[in-house]
């Protein structure tokens, strides 16, 4: 302040107060920040934590411009105190760490194409959302950490779980591999006049196949062979199933083999008669319809 004179004698008055300025508030997406307080000049400065973060660590707590790490999520109040002689001045700055919960999408896994449930972490800070990065999937509720998912495409499907808090995000990805065999075909349906047939399924790739009977009856020459022959087909429609299994996952297709062979005809016993009319006694067809015809001689049929 300069020199003042009182009753003829000089008195020295020292102004030791230095106004503290902790810098501007900050909103971040991380647990560290660069602090920018004012230089104390002839005084000394000291950073301290007032509220919100018991784990903050100052790189140099006596330096106006320094880095602070370990900030808690949410609002952290830090104080910059300047001391000069017996004078103390302080100012506070709010550092908001909007980092959301760290996203975890769950462990990678292989499935057989059935409905599954995802296993991400439930966000304690922020809200989550699923998206499909590659492949395809129908996510029942994209905002639910353990949502059900269906219609996974064959092979790898990559899903991302993102947790958002304010303008900050955290993401993680999970690979769901659908090992269900694809392009499984039992072949074309057949309508034959025989109790046997040749089958034409697709050959299994990387696994094995097996024929089975869903309806009717049949005898397979080799039920593990995609193009086996089948006999003893029941009259009418017989439903056969071709199942291919790869890496523990199975997929099937069905085929109808119809044996349209009619009932075996029996025209009845031969007759020697003394008239120009007679009654026929053939068997009633159980499968199919019957019709009389003339092989030799002549005749007129009532029906």
């Amino acid at each position: 302040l300069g020199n003042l004179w009182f009753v003829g004698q000089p008195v020295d008055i020292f102004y030791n107060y230095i106004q503290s300025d902790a810098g501007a508030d900050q909103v971040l997406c991380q647990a560290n920040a660069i602090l920018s307080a004012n230089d104390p000049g002839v005084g000394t400065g000291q950073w301290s934590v007032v509220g919100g973060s018991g784990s903050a660590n100052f790189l140099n707590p006596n330096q106006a411009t320094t880095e602070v790490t370990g900030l808690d999520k949410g609002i952290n109040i830090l104080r910059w105190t300047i001391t000069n002689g017996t004078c103390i001045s302080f100012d506070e700055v709010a550092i908001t760490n909007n980092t959301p919960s760290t996203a975890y999408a769950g462990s990678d896994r292989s499935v057989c194409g059935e409905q599954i449930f995802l296993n991400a972490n439930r966000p304690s800070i922020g809200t989550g959302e699923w998206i499909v990065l590659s492949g395809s999937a129908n996510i029942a509720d994209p905002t639910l950490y353990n949502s059900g998912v269906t219609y996974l495409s064959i092979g790898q499907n990559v899903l991302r779980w993102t947790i958002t808090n304010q303008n900050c995000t955290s993401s993680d990805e999970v690979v769901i591999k659908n090992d269900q065999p694809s392009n499984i075909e039992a072949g074309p349906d057949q309508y034959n006049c025989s109790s046997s047939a040749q089958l034409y399924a697709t050959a299994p790739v990387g696994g094995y196949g097996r024929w089975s009977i869903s309806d009717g009856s049949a005898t397979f020459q080799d039920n593990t062979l995609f193009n086996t022959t089948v006999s003893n087909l029941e009259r009418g429609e017989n439903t056969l199933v071709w199942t291919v299994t790869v890496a523990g996952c199975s997929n099937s297709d069905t085929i109808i083999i119809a044996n349209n062979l009619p009932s075996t005809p029996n025209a009845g016993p031969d007759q020697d008669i003394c008239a120009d009319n007679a009654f026929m006694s053939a068997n009633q067809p159980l499968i199919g319809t019957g019709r009389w015809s003339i092989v030799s001689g002549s005749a007129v049929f009532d029906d």
Side-chain angles (χ1 to χ4, degrees):
L1 288 177
N3 296 327
L4 298 179
W5 292 83
F6 294 95
V7 196
Q9 294 184 5
V11 177
D12 293 328
I13 306 296
F14 296 97
Y15 181 67
N16 290 328
Y17 183 81
I18 301 174
Q19 179 63 50
S20 175
D21 182 1
D25 294 342
Q26 300 182 47
V27 178
L28 308 170
C29 297
Q30 58 196 36
N32 61 295
I34 301 298
L35 302 175
S36 298
N38 62 319
D39 191 330
V42 295
T44 58
Q46 176 78 40
W47 283 105
S48 60
V49 178
V50 176
S53 184
S55 57
N57 180 43
F58 301 97
L59 185 63
N60 190 334
N62 301 115
Q63 199 169 60
T65 300
T66 188
E67 182 179 11
V68 59
T69 60
L71 294 168
D72 284 348
K73 289 171 181 176
I75 299 176
N76 301 269
I77 305 299
L78 309 180
R79 176 177 291 176
W80 176 239
T81 302
I82 296 178
T83 302
N84 187 27
T86 59
C87 297
I88 298 175
S89 171
F90 66 83
D91 186 35
E92 294 170 357
V93 62
I95 309 294
T96 303
N97 175 10
N98 279 334
T99 304
S101 300
T102 301
Y104 174 64
S107 57
D108 296 344
R109 52 183 159 155
S110 296
V111 298
C112 295
E114 72 276 12
Q115 177 178 350
I116 65 166
F117 290 91
L118 300 171
N119 191 29
N121 61 320
R122 185 202 298 263
S124 57
I125 300 175
T127 57
E129 183 177 18
W130 287 104
I131 62 170
V132 180
L133 291 185
S134 65
S136 64
N138 181 19
I139 302 172
D141 185 351
T143 64
L144 189 61
Y145 70 101
N146 60 350
S147 174
V149 60
T150 54
Y151 298 109
L152 291 161
S153 62
I154 303 297
Q156 286 194 349
N157 302 273
V158 181
L159 281 61
R160 174 179 289 169
W161 176 239
T162 300
I163 299 176
T164 302
N165 182 39
Q166 302 296 328
N167 61 329
C168 303
T169 61
S170 174
S171 298
D172 188 38
E173 297 166 6
V174 62
V175 177
I176 308 293
K177 187 180 179 185
N178 182 2
D179 285 333
Q180 188 176 47
S182 61
N183 302 320
I184 306 304
E185 295 184 7
D189 293 339
Q190 301 182 41
Y191 297 88
N192 305 322
C193 299
S194 173
S195 61
S196 61
Q198 174 77 49
L199 301 179
Y200 301 97
T202 52
V205 177
Y208 61 90
R210 185 176 296 276
W211 284 103
S212 60
I213 302 167
S214 174
D215 189 38
S217 65
T219 300
F220 300 99
Q221 184 181 32
D222 182 351
N223 71 338
T224 65
L225 190 61
F226 69 98
N227 60 349
T228 189
T229 58
V230 61
S231 59
N232 297 323
L233 291 164
E234 186 177 288
R235 282 187 169 94
E237 291 187 347
N238 300 272
T239 304
L240 309 181
V241 182
W242 176 238
T243 301
V244 173
T245 302
V246 179
C249 296
S250 298
N251 198 4
S252 300
D253 188 34
T254 60
I255 183 176
I256 293 175
I257 307 292
N259 175 7
N260 287 331
L261 193 66
S263 300
T264 301
N266 183 352
D270 294 342
Q271 301 182 44
D272 291 319
I273 59 175
C274 298
D276 62 356
N277 63 323
F279 288 96
M280 313 306 294
S281 55
N283 62 324
Q284 180 72 34
L286 298 177
I287 300 174
T289 57
R291 179 176 294 274
W292 286 104
S293 60
I294 301 170
V295 178
S296 64
S298 63
V300 175
F301 300 99
D302 274 349
D303 184 352

